[in-house]
């Protein structure tokens, strides 16, 4: 009844020119042909598209030929041309200010734990921080946070926001944060042992961040588990280099940084 073998050949590659190219417009609902993940487009760059399913879970997929299904039929998603005609967006998703001249720095500050935290915040929110005149500094740990806050001298108009790693109930960090009671200081944090984990594994093409046994230095343990033959500094450059927009980061970090920026720029 059929002409030839209906299972012969590759349905994903039925012949040159037969797979339509579809612009990955925002809210377009497609399915990843390999994994079956179905979701709406929430972001797209020249190499990959981010889909969000109905539960709010997001995943990043490369823009490979015939990699998606639209209404059950294979398509090749491409970056929309219209994306370049609208307002230019910064890495954080905010509207970029053209011809920006950095504002004179406020007295208010944002402190983060380490140099990696500062580098990631700068890469994604640097434009926004210069618009607002907010300086980010790193602490090299939070063990002495109460003394650091006292030395800063927070007051209305001179606020301090602090981003803490591994701020979960019962942790050392949570006990230290509880000592800060000034209304002009906001201490928030993410649940990750290290800021590395705030980068989505899909961005690095890894299945997930490995568990590191107690007693093993976390960064070195991660590098070994992933089979990366490099020093932590090299690994961080690899991780940071893979990040380009806010969609590459976990929401647990995104929300906390936005909260800190709002706090230190709020008019008393």
């Amino acid at each position: 009844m059929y002409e030839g073998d209906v299972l012969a050949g590759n349905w994903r590659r039925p012949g040159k020119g037969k797979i339509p190219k579809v612009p990955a417009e925002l809210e377009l609902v497609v399915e990843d042909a390999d994994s079956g993940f179905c979701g709406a487009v929430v972001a797209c760059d020249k190499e990959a598209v981010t889909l969000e399913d109905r539960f709010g879970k997001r995943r990043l997929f490369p823009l490979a030929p015939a990699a998606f299904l639209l209404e059950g039929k294979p398509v090749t998603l491409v970056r929309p041309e219209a994306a370049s005609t609208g307002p230019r967006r910064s890495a954080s998703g905010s509207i970029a200010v053209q011809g920006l001249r950095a504002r004179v720095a406020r007295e208010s500050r944002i402190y983060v734990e380490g140099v990696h935290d500062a580098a990631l915040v700068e890469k994604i929110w640097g434009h926004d921080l210069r618009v607002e005149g907010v300086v980010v500094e790193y602490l090299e740990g939070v063990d002495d946070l109460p003394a650091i806050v006292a030395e800063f001298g927070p007051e209305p108009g001179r606020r301090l926001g602090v981003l803490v790693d591994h701020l979960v109930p019962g942790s050392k960090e949570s006990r230290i944060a509880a000592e800060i009671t000034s209304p002009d200081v906001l201490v928030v944090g993410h649940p990750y042992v290290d800021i590395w984990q705030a980068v989505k594994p899909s961005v690095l093409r890894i299945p997930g961040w490995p568990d590191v046994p107690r007693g093993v230095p976390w960064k070195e343990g991660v590098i070994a588990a992933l089979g990366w033959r490099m020093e932590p500094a090299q690994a961080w450059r690899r991780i940071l280099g893979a990040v380009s927009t806010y969609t590459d980061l976990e929401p647990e970090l995104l929300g906390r940084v936005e909260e800190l920026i709002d706090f230190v720029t709020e008019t008393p």
Side-chain angles (χ1 to χ4, degrees):
M1 174 163 56
Y2 296 99
E3 294 182 4
D5 184 356
V6 296
L7 299 180
N10 187 340
W11 69 273
R12 293 277 301 279
R13 305 289 187 272
K16 186 176 181 181
K18 293 186 179 181
I19 297 293
K21 293 183 178 181
V22 177
E25 303 285 357
L26 294 179
E27 300 186 4
L28 176 72
V29 177
V30 295
E31 177 183 345
D32 174 59
D34 285 334
S35 67
F37 185 90
C38 183
V41 174
V42 294
C44 183
D45 59 28
K46 63 181 180 180
E47 297 180 349
V49 62
T50 302
L51 303 182
E52 181 179 288
D53 69 12
R54 60 193 181 94
F55 302 107
K57 182 179 180 181
R58 294 187 176 189
R59 287 184 59 182
L60 187 76
F61 298 97
L63 292 175
F68 302 92
L69 302 178
L70 177 61
E71 298 180 351
K73 298 180 180 179
V75 297
T76 297
L77 291 186
V78 296
R79 188 179 186 181
E81 293 184 5
S84 62
T85 63
R88 192 169 67 87
R89 297 279 176 174
S90 70
S92 71
S94 65
I95 296 177
V97 178
Q98 304 297 322
L100 169 68
R101 295 183 62 182
R103 175 176 173 171
V104 175
R106 297 172 182 262
E107 290 190 68
S108 298
R109 292 286 189 274
I110 291 177
Y111 286 171
V112 297
E113 282 207 45
V115 64
H116 292 179
D117 307 65
L120 187 60
V121 169
E122 163 61 28
K123 186 162 188 179
I124 301 302
W125 289 276
H127 177 85
D128 306 58
L129 293 168
R130 283 184 284 279
V131 168
E132 298 292 350
V134 176
V135 174
V136 174
E137 302 179 17
Y138 66 91
L139 302 172
E140 298 184 347
V142 294
D143 289 353
D144 298 323
L145 186 60
I148 292 170
V149 170
E151 182 180 359
F152 179 82
E155 60 184 33
R158 180 180 168 81
R159 287 182 154 188
L160 179 62
V162 184
L163 180 68
V164 178
D165 296 344
H166 200 228
L167 191 62
V168 296
S171 68
K172 175 193 72 173
E173 291 82 0
S174 67
R175 293 192 292 272
I176 294 173
E179 299 179 40
I180 310 301
T181 58
S182 170
D184 298 304
V185 179
L186 176 64
V187 180
V188 300
H190 55 75
Y192 307 114
V193 174
D194 191 276
I195 196 69
W196 289 17
Q197 286 182 297
V199 177
K200 293 179 178 178
S202 58
V203 175
L204 298 165
R205 306 293 192 264
I206 61 176
W209 289 104
D211 293 326
V212 177
R214 287 183 177 274
V216 177
W218 192 84
K219 289 184 174 69
E220 286 78 0
V222 165
I223 292 170
L226 293 176
W228 293 354
R229 297 184 177 181
M230 58 184 71
E231 296 298 316
Q234 295 172 296
W236 173 242
R237 287 194 292 271
R238 176 174 179 172
I239 294 166
L240 187 63
V243 174
S244 57
T245 76
Y246 70 99
T247 61
D248 296 332
L249 305 180
E250 299 288 0
E252 289 84 354
L253 175 66
L254 295 175
R256 302 296 74 77
V257 175
E258 297 287 351
E259 190 176 353
L260 289 177
I261 294 175
D262 289 344
F263 179 78
V264 299
T265 58
E266 185 179 81
T267 302

